[in-house]
């Protein structure tokens, strides 16, 4: 595995407009590509939070992963973070990346956790579906309607003011689902007390009604106390069963012939 750190993908985002390119030992024209987006309530953390997930995709599934930072809402409110993630996707598809010479960059997968899951959906659902092989949202804010009643303060921070109904609709992934949307995998813990599991259930129901493909992996970890239940405590690695669910879905749905 090779890591090229802090590649600039967006000059507008300044010091936050960078990502790490993580490459498998062997590249070929069919090497799958993924954009990785960290969480943190849109206002905290950085790309290092997703480095364990990116490493899993590279080492076990042969992906090349672009793991990005984006502008945080503590300094620049929405739509800056959403725009940055779109730019990251466009850069991975078409940008000047000499290390990917010879790789066919026709499609990418987008993956994120928590608020990064929201950004993964808002990225993958707003790009032409023929460019997106799939979207993985891990305990993501997948339905604003279900999340805002649980944590309304998140949205005042996201916009920098009390948002209107129109503004809330503009950041709700559910509103972007169509029958042409790429396949989505939602993973979520039944006992998540940071982002309620109903966010994933609502998204999956809406996708089903739209005629779009959404798979779910719901689970229950046996830890106690306040928890998002994404990473193994004290690490940046996913629980093994979540990794297995993601790997199986990718192999069966996104890249059945190459991964």
């Amino acid at each position: 595995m090779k890591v090229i750190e802090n590649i600039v993908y967006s000059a507008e985002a300044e010091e936050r407009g960078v990502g790490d390119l993580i490459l498998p030992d062997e590249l070929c024209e069919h090497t799958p590509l993924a954009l990785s987006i960290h969480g943190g309530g849109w206002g905290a953390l950085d790309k290092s939070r997703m480095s364990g997930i990116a490493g899993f995709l590279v080492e076990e599934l042969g992906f090349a992963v672009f793991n990005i930072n984006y502008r945080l809402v503590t300094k620049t409110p929405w739509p800056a973070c959403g725009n940055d993630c779109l730019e990251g996707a466009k850069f991975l598809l078409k940008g000047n990346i000499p290390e990917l010479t010879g790789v066919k960059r026709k499609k990418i997968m987008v993956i994120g956790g928590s608020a990064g899951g929201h950004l993964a959906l808002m990225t993958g659902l707003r790009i032409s579906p023929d460019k997106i092989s799939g979207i993985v949202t891990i305990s993501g804010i997948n339905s604003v309607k279900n999340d805002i009643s649980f944590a309304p303060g998140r949205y005042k921070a996201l916009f920098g003011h009390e948002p209107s109904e129109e503004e809330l609709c503009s950041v709700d992934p559910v509103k972007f689902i169509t029958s042409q949307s790429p396949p989505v995998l939602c993973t979520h813990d039944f006992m998540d007390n940071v982002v309620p599991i109903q966010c994933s259930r609502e998204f999956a129901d809406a996708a089903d009604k739209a005629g779009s493909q959404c798979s779910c992996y719901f689970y229950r970890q046996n830890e106690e106390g306040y928890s998002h239940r994404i990473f193994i405590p004290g690490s940046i690695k996913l629980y093994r069963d979540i990794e297995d669910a993601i790997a199986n879905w990718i192999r069966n749905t996104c890249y059945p012939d190459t991964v």
Side-chain angles (χ1 to χ4, degrees):
M1 190 168 68
K2 179 181 180 182
V3 181
I4 301 98
E5 296 182 335
N6 296 322
I7 298 172
V8 176
Y9 72 85
S10 171
E12 182 181 357
E14 299 180 334
E15 76 279 0
R16 294 290 301 188
V18 299
D20 297 342
L21 184 65
I22 304 114
L23 301 173
D25 292 334
E26 295 183 10
L27 287 170
C28 71
E29 62 178 334
H30 300 298
T31 295
L33 304 172
L35 181 73
S36 173
I37 305 173
H38 72 83
W42 304 296
L45 304 179
D46 60 26
K47 54 188 167 64
S48 65
R49 187 63 170 166
M50 290 290 286
S51 59
I53 295 174
F56 152 69
L57 292 174
V58 173
E59 292 184 320
E60 297 200 22
L61 298 172
F63 273 80
V65 178
F66 192 43
N67 184 29
I68 64 170
N69 283 342
Y70 52 82
R71 283 174 288 179
L72 302 177
V73 297
T74 48
K75 291 188 176 181
T76 314
W78 182 270
C81 59
N83 289 344
D84 291 348
C85 293
L86 286 170
E87 286 302 310
K90 293 173 185 176
F91 181 78
L92 184 56
L93 282 163
K94 295 184 178 180
N96 180 22
I97 310 176
E99 293 83 1
L100 293 179
T101 299
V103 178
K104 288 185 177 180
R105 294 192 277 163
K106 293 184 177 181
K107 286 189 173 188
I108 63 171
M109 189 183 77
V110 190
I111 184 169
S114 192
H118 169 268
L119 291 171
L121 288 171
M122 292 297 291
T123 302
L125 295 175
R126 292 193 292 167
I127 288 177
S128 177
D130 66 331
K131 300 294 183 184
I132 305 296
S133 59
I135 306 167
V136 178
T137 170
I138 306 166
S139 298
I141 301 172
N142 307 329
S143 164
V144 167
K145 182 181 78 171
N146 284 280
D147 187 59
I148 193 167
S149 60
F150 180 81
R154 278 204 265 263
Y155 296 89
K156 186 173 182 179
L158 178 63
F159 287 97
H161 59 259
E162 202 69 51
S164 67
E165 285 298 318
E166 182 178 3
E167 286 175 317
L168 291 173
C169 285
S170 75
V171 297
D172 191 344
V174 169
K175 304 298 183 182
F176 292 86
I177 303 169
T178 73
S179 61
Q180 302 303 310
S181 295
V184 174
L185 172 67
C186 300
T187 78
H188 222 119
D189 191 296
F190 286 106
M191 304 303 291
D192 191 326
N193 57 13
V194 179
V195 176
I197 193 172
Q198 191 56 33
C199 287
S200 289
R201 287 176 169 152
E202 172 72 17
F203 183 90
D205 287 347
D208 184 61
K209 290 177 183 176
S212 179
Q213 181 181 351
C214 181
S215 304
C216 297
Y217 175 65
F218 296 153
Y219 55 93
R220 187 187 301 272
Q221 302 298 346
N222 294 320
E223 59 183 87
E224 297 180 358
Y226 180 84
S227 178
H228 214 350
R229 295 178 170 88
I230 297 176
F231 299 102
I232 296 171
S235 81
I236 53 173
K237 284 187 63 64
L238 292 173
Y239 289 94
R240 183 67 229 188
D241 64 307
I242 306 175
E243 288 185 340
D244 289 343
I246 293 171
N248 290 335
W249 180 80
I250 289 172
R251 291 188 179 110
N252 293 326
T253 304
C254 301
Y255 298 95
D257 299 323
T258 57
V259 172

